[in-house]
Amino acid sequence: TQTPRPGVKLDIWTRPSPGQRYVGGLDPSSGGDQAVFLVVDARGRHVATLRGRTDPTYFTLEACRVGSMYNQALMMIERNGMGESAVQTAVRVVGYPYVYRPPWKHSQSGQPLTREPFGVWMTDTLKENLQARTMRLIHEGALDTRSVSLITALMGYDPQSNQHTPDEISALYLAVMGLEQPQATAISRLRRADSRQVAVAQPLGEY
């Protein structure tokens, strides 16, 4: 366990490995609860968790620092509610190089129509899909964690109930979504008006 700065706690189970691909799911604080940034490697091993009840901007800065430590992990940031602030901090303030962004939507003729903003907009349908995918990976032994708090949360959470999804589980869902991005095609570059380069991730398809 490490404490990067006051109000934020970092648990590390596995140190970064050169050449390894990592994905981090960031579930921002929605007021009162804690923010969580959960990092997994390409083999589904849970390697680190950053958590804290602190200013959203401050937490996102710390999450970007941890993501950079893990070989510039692909950041899957939920942008619902306070998440938009986290997205803007990562993209515009930090200029973090790998932030997820959905692909262009095209017309039937193939012409690009619209582009979704950076981050993941978590709908009920997407959450249900990610719940199913996460549970499948756990049952197949394709997800591994040594986090007592995450294991406890998973054992006590009933997806069919109306209870709030625990923050660590929400972050895990986002990380699982990131794992499904193909490594060879997940990252592309978008030139912004200020001429800085920001990387965006292209998903496998619509959710």
Side-chain angles (χ1 to χ4, degrees), residues 28-130:
S29 171
S30 58
D33 60 348
Q34 68 176 354
V36 176
F37 181 57
L38 186 148
V39 184
V40 299
D41 67 15
R43 289 178 285 182
R45 295 183 301 180
H46 177 198
V47 298
T49 293
L50 180 76
R51 74 188 77 228
R53 287 182 172 85
T54 186
D55 176 75
T57 298
Y58 174 72
F59 185 85
T60 304
L61 294 174
E62 288 295 311
C64 289
R65 188 178 68 83
V66 174
S68 295
M69 182 173 70
Y70 279 92
N71 302 341
Q72 294 188 323
L74 171 62
M75 291 186 73
M76 309 291 294
I77 306 175
E78 181 178 337
R79 63 181 176 90
N80 304 55
M82 294 297 295
E84 183 60 34
S85 174
V87 169
Q88 294 303 316
T89 298
V91 173
R92 300 188 181 278
V93 177
V94 177
Y96 189 82
Y98 298 107
V99 177
Y100 172 83
R101 189 180 192 183
W104 286 95
K105 292 183 178 180
H106 293 79
S107 66
Q108 292 184 348
S109 63
Q111 294 298 315
L113 296 176
T114 59
R115 188 71 185 274
E116 293 292 326
F118 287 95
V120 178
W121 184 258
M122 187 64 71
T123 64
D124 290 340
T125 299
L126 176 56
K127 180 179 286 188
E128 290 174 3
N129 289 340
L130 291 175

Side-chain angles (χ1 to χ4, degrees), residues 189-198:
R189 296 252 170 207
L190 174 69
R191 183 171 295 277
R192 294 222 312 263
D194 60 6
S195 298
R196 291 164 58 190
Q197 293 286 337
V198 176

